[in-house]
Amino acid sequence: MSFRAVRQSKFRHVFGKEEKRDMCYDGVKISRNAWDSPFCDVNAKFIAVVEEAQGGGSFLVLPLEQTGRLDLNAPRVCGHTAAVLEVKFCPFNDNMIASAGEDCLVKIWDIPDGGLKTDLRESLCDLEGHQRRVGLIEWHPTAENVLMSAGFDYVVFIWDLNTGEAVRKYDMHSDTIFTMAWNKLGTHFCTTCKDKKLRYIDARSGEVVSEGTAHDGTKSARAIFVGDNDLIFTTGFSRMSERQYALWNPKDLSKSLKFETIDTGSGVLFATYDEDTRMIWVSGKGDGNIRFFEVTDDGGGSVFYLSDYKSSNPQRGVGWLPKLAVNVNKCEVMRAYKLHPKGWVEVISFTVPRKSTLFQDDIFPPTKQAVAVMTADEWVGGKTVKPNYVSMKDFFVEEKRVQGGGGGLGGAPKSGGGLKKGGLGGSKPAAAAKPAPAAAKPASSSGGDSGRVAELEGIVAQKDAEIKELKRHLATLEIKLRELESQ
């Protein structure tokens, strides 16, 4: 009977590569607030970072291409009268961003194309209703202009931005709400609370469909929806301060589908789910590494550890680029924007190693389109619509190949080349073609030279990639060696 110790996955060898310092964002005064938030958000146009401010609250919004050292007098969004606790870009409008702060307000802002030229103080809309500071905001995944917020008054509001009024108000929580998340269709949401309860709630009626104890620790627990069946993935702590993760069936939260201990770290674990690759990215506050997991629906649902990205530099928070903005040609499946406590944002690209230069449809299935499929009134009225999807091949740029004339170096096409009429070798089968002698000149000297140069450049690029991978592996081994020496 065969035994496989390691579960096979095409994402097991995902590796992260840091961009050079001049391609990152330097000189950013990142917020030192104790609230457990990523303090940043990213979309296809901008990156937003909550800053440490005196006498008020502000955050920075920069175009993605504006890398390098930040000007001390760079314009900021500074309309809050107290510290900003969270920022979130609208998934359907790259120029719209929501912010929540200690002044009990949720504000909606419009960022002009090209970024800010002067300080932005006038918001599009102010949402008033919370009695205490607001720490959580989440945009609806399918409906336009619908936003959910939660504050330290233990109340959850769902807002219609067209009117600026709350269409739902829920007060079923008895303590601080740590996190909240919409499901894929926006019909339900889940929350974790300081009372250690995980709740699955109907977003329209406010009915608590199910609830249960997620993690026994008193520190912050986080939750997101994963998989095709709206499973809930949580991270939290045990009574002994061990960091854990668990997978739950939302209709029965009395017992978990899987429950594992990760380590004994003290930082809160933030999880991000990629629906296309079915990968969960877990980054710890104060950690230097980012872990990857893969979720399956087999046997009701399960989670498998894949690998992790290691770094000796701790992170204050991590923002993730939307899937529609990744580099498909480089097989980039995710891109992270890591906030360093020392005041800079590092860009880390996560890729799947592939030798082929063709479009990789197995790692880039159709992804969710950034377009709302219904209005706020339709959602309030009970309508549910599935999101639209778009092919990632539309974002793939085919590389132009250089072909030599008269058969190039080999004198004949390879088998299965799919050459059109009039191409090298005509319609003659490759099996019947004899290779030209090594000393023979190509039929077209310039075409042969171009083909040879392209081939050599490809070999050099492949060797460079192998060298970089070996260096990264060596650095990982050195970190492990230092860890063992320190024990």
Side-chain angles (χ1 to χ4, degrees):
M1 183 174 63
S2 62
F3 174 78
R4 180 174 291 130
V6 179
R7 180 177 177 274
Q8 288 185 343
S9 172
K10 52 180 168 284
F11 302 109
R12 180 166 295 281
H13 300 291
V14 168
F15 70 95
K17 178 183 177 183
E18 307 87 354
E19 296 289 347
K20 295 180 180 179
R21 188 71 177 252
D22 59 349
M23 297 301 295
C24 300
Y25 308 87
D26 209 345
V28 182
K29 298 179 181 179
I30 300 168
S31 173
R32 297 194 296 269
N33 195 290
W35 175 239
D36 292 320
S37 168
F39 292 116
C40 68
D41 198 24
V42 190
N43 67 10
K45 288 184 179 180
F46 305 104
I47 175 173
V49 181
V50 179
E51 286 194 306
E52 187 71 17
Q54 301 294 331
S58 68
F59 60 95
L60 194 67
V61 179
L62 295 174
L64 291 183
E65 62 273 11
Q66 190 177 324
T67 56
R69 187 153 192 89
L70 177 69
D71 185 356
L72 291 175
N73 298 318
R76 291 159 170 83
V77 181
C78 46
H80 284 274
T81 58
V84 177
L85 298 181
E86 188 160 43
V87 291
K88 284 288 178 68
F89 280 106
C90 176
F92 313 124
N93 184 350
D94 288 339
N95 297 80
M96 184 180 293
I97 186 172
S99 61
E102 293 185 350
D103 55 2
C104 308
L105 294 177
V106 177
K107 290 177 176 284
I108 311 299
W109 309 87
D110 180 62
I111 309 299
D113 288 331
L116 300 174
K117 305 303 179 185
T118 60
D119 287 346
L120 181 60
R121 300 180 183 275
E122 295 295 328
S123 60
L124 291 176
C125 178
D126 289 356
L127 307 178
E128 301 181 22
H130 287 284
Q131 300 298 316
R132 298 184 64 186
R133 55 181 174 157
V134 187
L136 300 170
I137 46 177
E138 288 291 341
W139 291 92
H140 194 280
T142 58
E144 189 175 24
N145 293 333
V146 176
L147 182 72
M148 181 166 59
S149 65
F152 283 71
D153 51 3
Y154 318 148
V155 177
V156 176
F157 282 99
I158 300 179
W159 306 90
D160 180 356
L161 302 187
N162 296 312
T163 62
E165 301 292 332
V167 294
R168 295 290 187 273
K169 177 182 177 181
Y170 302 132
D171 56 359
M172 70 282 294
H173 298 87
S174 59
D175 212 329
T176 304
I177 303 171
F178 286 140
T179 188
M180 60 185 184
W182 292 100
N183 68 344
K184 183 190 298 185
L185 298 179
T187 57
H188 295 75
F189 66 93
C190 67
T191 63
T192 58
C193 183
K194 197 172 181 179
D195 62 6
K196 305 177 185 178
K197 295 291 185 180
L198 170 64
R199 293 176 173 87
Y200 179 63
I201 304 167
D202 188 302
R204 295 190 180 97
S205 67
E207 176 191 0
V208 180
V209 179
S210 60
E211 69 175 44
T213 301
H215 301 274
D216 293 329
T218 57
K219 292 184 179 181
S220 177
R222 313 286 296 185
I224 57 172
F225 283 94
V226 299
D228 297 331
N229 299 324
D230 277 351
L231 303 178
I232 300 177
F233 179 85
T234 63
T235 59
F237 295 82
S238 69
R239 293 180 180 177
M240 304 299 293
S241 294
E242 297 172 320
R243 295 197 292 191
Q244 306 166 328
Y245 76 85
L247 189 67
W248 309 82
N249 180 350
K251 297 180 180 179
D252 181 14
L253 298 178
S254 60
K255 59 180 179 179
S256 62
L257 299 174
K258 186 167 185 177
F259 203 97
E260 294 286 344
T261 297
I262 299 177
D263 56 20
T264 56
S266 59
V268 174
L269 294 172
F270 296 92
T272 300
Y273 178 62
D274 179 14
E275 179 184 341
D276 302 341
T277 60
R278 302 177 66 87
M279 290 178 66
I280 304 172
W281 305 75
V282 179
S283 57
K285 184 178 178 181
D287 291 1
N289 58 348
I290 298 175
R291 297 175 175 84
F292 328 137
F293 298 85
E294 187 173 17
V295 62
T296 68
D297 294 320
D298 300 338
S302 189
V303 175
F304 298 93
Y305 170 77
L306 292 176
S307 183
D308 60 356
Y309 162 82
K310 293 183 180 296
S311 172
S312 58
N313 299 316
Q315 56 218 9
R316 185 71 181 85
V318 177
W320 298 92
L321 189 71
K323 199 57 175 288
L324 289 173
V326 300
N327 192 327
V328 180
N329 282 62
K330 293 184 178 180
C331 295
E332 183 183 46
V333 292
M334 286 291 267
R335 190 185 304 171
Y337 290 76
K338 175 179 174 179
L339 306 187
H340 285 253
K342 294 183 179 180
W344 66 291
V345 182
E346 183 180 27
V347 183
I348 306 171
S349 175
F350 292 94
T351 58
V352 178
R354 292 291 170 93
K355 292 182 179 180
S356 174
T357 58
L358 302 177
F359 175 70
Q360 306 294 312
D361 55 358
D362 60 328
I363 62 175
F364 290 113
T367 190
K368 186 183 297 184
Q369 193 174 17
V371 176
V373 293
M374 59 180 168
T375 64
D377 290 338
E378 289 174 335
W379 180 82
V380 173
K383 187 176 182 179
T384 300
V385 182
K386 293 183 179 180
N388 296 326
Y389 287 82
V390 61
S391 173
M392 290 295 288
K393 194 171 184 179
D394 297 340
F395 305 92
F396 178 78
V397 180
E398 293 189 9
E399 297 182 2
K400 295 183 179 179
R401 298 177 178 272
V402 180
Q403 289 186 344
L409 295 176
K414 294 183 179 179
S415 177
L419 295 175
K420 296 181 181 179
K421 185 177 180 180
L424 301 180
S427 59
K428 187 176 181 180
K434 296 182 180 180
K441 294 183 179 180
S444 172
S445 178
S446 61
D449 291 344
S450 300
R452 182 58 177 167
V453 169
E455 182 181 355
L456 290 175
E457 288 179 347
I459 295 174
V460 171
Q462 181 179 358
K463 295 301 181 183
D464 286 343
E466 292 176 356
I467 292 172
K468 291 179 181 178
E469 176 64 16
L470 289 174
K471 289 182 178 179
R472 187 188 68 82
H473 184 61
L474 179 60
T476 302
L477 293 177
E478 290 177 350
I479 292 174
K480 290 182 178 180
L481 180 60
R482 288 197 297 268
E483 291 176 352
L484 291 174
E485 291 176 348
S486 63
Q487 291 178 356

